[in-house]
Amino acid sequence: MSKCRRNLLLATLLAAPLVATPALAEKYGLGREALPEEINAWTVEVFPDGKNLPEGSGSVADGEKIFADNCAACHGDFAEGVDNWPKLAGGDGTLADKDPVKTVGSYWPYLSTVWDYAHRSMPFGNAQTLTVDETYAIVAYILYSNYLVDDDFVLTKDNFLDVEMPNADGFIVDNRDEVEVPKFSEAACMSDCKTDVQITKKATVLDVTPDEGNGEDTAAADTAAETDTAEAPAQDAPAAAEEAKAEAAPAESLSADPELVAAGEKVFKKCKACHQVGEDAKNRVGPVLNGLIGRQAGTVDGFKYSKSMTLHGEDGLVWTEQTVEEYLADPKGYIPKNRMSFAGLKDPEDVKAVLAYIESQGG
């Protein structure tokens, strides 16, 4: 036997066991096929019109407790978000901003998506442990946190579509089947497709457009259009100066006491999740607190108040040190059915301190 043939035989003998090894077989023998019920568990079956929603119900009050136990660690007690975890509330009017705040209230078009996502995918790390009623309750609380329902609201499949999602019309409807498919399915025109052809534009750099004798008219029309554009009336200047604010300045401002202001800054940490004050402050879950003292209740521009807060303002409630102190001592008792979930500040000294801090920041 030649040396070459011996090497070939040796290679064949060494390779034979490897071919028979499971590692090189078509199937690895790992895992199993998913069961139908396992596949169905991840199937999206709830539709925007509420189709396939199960029977059940959940109130805002129950949802607040369930949310606190299952969701608040990431999304905050008031759905305001913790660290980099998503905010679920707020963001009104920010979708056109450079950094929009996309929440259930500002962005999500369908409530069914909220329900289905929470039911199938939440809580994080413990998905599909929420009951149907618990899911209804959590969704009701999220709606409440976005000021879309009142605190006595109970969500069911029967009133599901009664909830108006603010951004329901903010998306482009995919109507390609009705609009584009029929158009592009038509037989293509290959000759004499237009009976009347006119030159509507002329090239401005290259003299390539055929001159059919009406070039002057076309040029004149273009010039007129440019002139019209250039001479379009300027926008009216912004409204004149804003109305002077009649502030009921306290005889002795609390913010004059630096120690009280420092103490108030610490107390205000309880408020920061929902409120901002000072330069660049914006409405969040709660309204901006700039200009608070002397302001009629329920009147911050761009903030959506509860009906109760709005009515109190219309009835003459003005925020003074006294009314703020009374409100913060018992928010729900002072203005029933207002949307502030905060339990309040029970210590009058804390109230004075936080007022001093708010005043020092422009409140």
Side-chain angles (χ1 to χ4, degrees):
M1 181 181 293
S2 68
K3 185 177 180 180
C4 179
R5 292 185 61 186
R6 284 201 304 273
N7 290 341
L8 178 60
L9 178 60
L10 179 60
T12 302
L13 292 173
L14 291 174
L18 294 177
V19 173
T21 300
L24 297 180
E26 292 184 359
K27 295 184 178 179
Y28 295 96
L30 301 176
R32 59 172 174 77
E33 291 188 5
L35 299 174
E37 54 269 31
E38 292 172 331
I39 296 175
N40 289 337
W42 293 102
T43 300
V44 179
E45 294 182 333
V46 177
F47 293 88
D49 61 358
K51 180 183 176 183
N52 292 337
L53 276 170
E55 295 290 344
S57 65
S59 67
V60 171
D62 289 340
E64 184 175 10
K65 299 174 185 175
I66 301 169
F67 190 91
D69 292 339
N70 295 276
C71 316
C74 298
H75 299 293
D77 288 334
F78 310 111
E80 77 279 11
V82 175
D83 297 331
N84 290 327
W85 295 100
K87 304 178 192 302
L88 303 180
D92 296 352
T94 67
L95 295 185
D97 294 351
K98 183 179 180 181
D99 186 17
V101 180
K102 297 181 178 179
T103 71
V104 170
S106 69
Y107 183 73
W108 291 46
Y110 301 124
L111 188 58
S112 58
T113 311
V114 183
W115 194 98
D116 193 48
Y117 184 80
H119 189 56
R120 291 189 300 113
S121 306
M122 292 286 116
F124 179 73
N126 202 19
Q128 300 185 11
T129 59
L130 296 172
T131 67
V132 169
D133 287 345
E134 287 174 335
T135 306
Y136 274 113
I138 285 177
V139 174
Y141 179 67
I142 293 173
L143 292 173
Y144 171 75
S145 299
N146 282 282
Y147 306 134
L148 298 178
V149 299
D150 291 326
D151 57 358
D152 56 355
F153 179 73
V154 178
L155 181 64
T156 70
K157 65 177 296 185
D158 297 325
N159 64 3
F160 205 82
L161 296 181
D162 294 340
V163 179
E164 296 182 5
M165 301 298 283
N167 198 39
D169 298 325
F171 288 77
I172 298 175
V173 177
D174 183 2
N175 60 355
R176 288 173 292 183
D177 286 344
E178 295 80 22
V179 177
E180 294 188 6
V181 171
K183 182 177 181 180
F184 293 113
S185 298
E186 297 174 353
C189 176
M190 303 303 291
S191 64
D192 299 329
C193 300
K194 297 190 71 172
T195 57
D196 183 20
V197 179
Q198 296 180 342
I199 297 174
T200 58
K201 291 288 182 181
K202 292 178 67 71
T204 57
V205 178
L206 301 176
D207 185 15
V208 296
T209 307
D211 188 355
E212 297 184 354
N214 59 350
E216 294 182 359
D217 293 341
T218 305
D222 291 345
T223 302
E226 293 173 0
T227 302
D228 289 344
T229 302
E231 296 181 355
Q235 291 185 342
D236 294 335
E242 60 181 26
E243 295 181 0
K245 189 177 182 182
E247 295 193 29
E252 183 175 352
S253 172
L254 294 172
S255 60
D257 183 347
E259 292 185 1
L260 194 60
V261 171
E265 185 175 7
K266 296 179 180 178
V267 178
F268 190 75
K269 292 180 179 178
K270 300 178 180 179
C271 316
K272 288 176 66 175
C274 300
H275 294 283
Q276 291 188 349
V277 64
E279 188 176 0
D280 299 327
K282 296 180 180 178
N283 293 328
R284 294 298 185 189
V285 176
V288 65
L289 298 181
N290 292 356
L292 173 66
I293 301 302
R295 185 169 74 204
Q296 179 182 335
T299 56
V300 170
D301 288 341
F303 187 78
K304 189 181 299 182
Y305 287 93
S306 65
K307 294 179 182 177
S308 180
M309 181 64 78
T310 302
L311 287 175
H312 275 71
E314 293 173 350
D315 289 342
L317 175 61
V318 174
W319 295 121
T320 64
E321 289 184 0
Q322 180 180 350
T323 55
V324 171
E325 183 174 341
E326 293 171 352
Y327 176 65
L328 288 181
D330 182 12
K332 290 292 185 184
Y334 192 78
I335 301 181
K337 295 189 175 183
N338 86 83
R339 288 169 174 162
M340 191 165 87
S341 301
F342 185 54
L345 297 173
K346 305 306 179 187
D347 187 342
E349 293 303 316
D350 283 349
V351 176
K352 287 186 178 179
V354 79
L355 268 174
Y357 175 70
I358 292 173
E359 287 180 13
S360 72
Q361 299 299 308

